[in-house]
Amino acid sequence: MKIDKSLISGSTTMLILKLLNSSDMYGYQMIDELERRSENVFTLKAGTLYPLLHNLENQGMVECYEQVSESERARKYYRITKRGKKLFEEKKSEWITYTFTVNQVLGGSNYALD
């Protein structure tokens, strides 16, 4: 199923923070993990992800560090900060309220798509 990109863009920050709340990751690992967890519904391009990560880093929500990978290549890993964890919880709460309310308008949790 194809999802309208405007719906996805509003949740991208929350989804990235969720991934980093689980473990530190490098950029392409986040892209792959998001695709895997969403069964390819959420597909980010590097040109979308890296500016978002840079912005989150400037806001103090994530921090980065370099680490040599198994392939002996230095990679830039990202980790969530305490501020980022707080933002994630806020975004998650907003999302739960939003989806609950949309479901109510559509006819409850067992709504049929008419």
Side-chain angles (χ1 to χ4, degrees):
M1 172 184 256
K2 188 118 171 129
I3 304 290
D4 184 335
K5 287 190 189 273
S6 66
L7 293 174
I8 295 170
S9 67
S11 61
T12 306
T13 296
M14 177 185 61
L15 296 173
I16 295 304
L17 291 174
K18 170 60 178 167
L19 292 177
L20 294 175
N21 203 33
S22 302
S23 67
D24 297 0
M25 294 185 182
Y26 57 90
Y28 285 103
Q29 184 181 12
M30 287 181 240
I31 290 169
D32 290 343
E33 187 65 14
L34 189 58
E35 287 178 3
R36 185 187 68 75
R37 289 190 192 185
S38 71
E39 298 179 356
N40 295 314
V41 171
F42 299 125
T43 56
L44 282 181
K45 304 239 184 273
T48 301
L49 176 64
Y50 286 105
L52 173 65
L53 287 170
H54 184 71
N55 192 27
L56 288 170
E57 187 178 9
N58 286 341
Q59 295 172 5
M61 304 300 166
V62 301
E63 54 191 23
C64 68
Y65 62 94
E66 283 197 10
Q67 183 172 324
V68 177
S69 67
E70 296 142 9
S71 64
E72 300 195 19
R73 184 175 152 212
R75 292 188 188 222
K76 189 183 257 191
Y77 282 80
Y78 295 85
R79 75 170 63 107
I80 193 168
T81 63
K82 286 182 183 180
R83 288 179 67 193
K85 288 181 183 201
K86 184 177 180 203
L87 177 63
F88 167 67
E89 290 302 328
E90 290 169 3
K91 293 283 184 191
K92 182 176 156 186
S93 180
E94 287 174 8
W95 183 258
I96 290 169
T97 300
Y98 174 77
T99 57
F100 175 80
T101 305
V102 168
N103 285 336
Q104 278 188 305
V105 172
L106 292 174
S109 62
N110 296 321
Y111 63 87
L113 297 176
D114 296 329

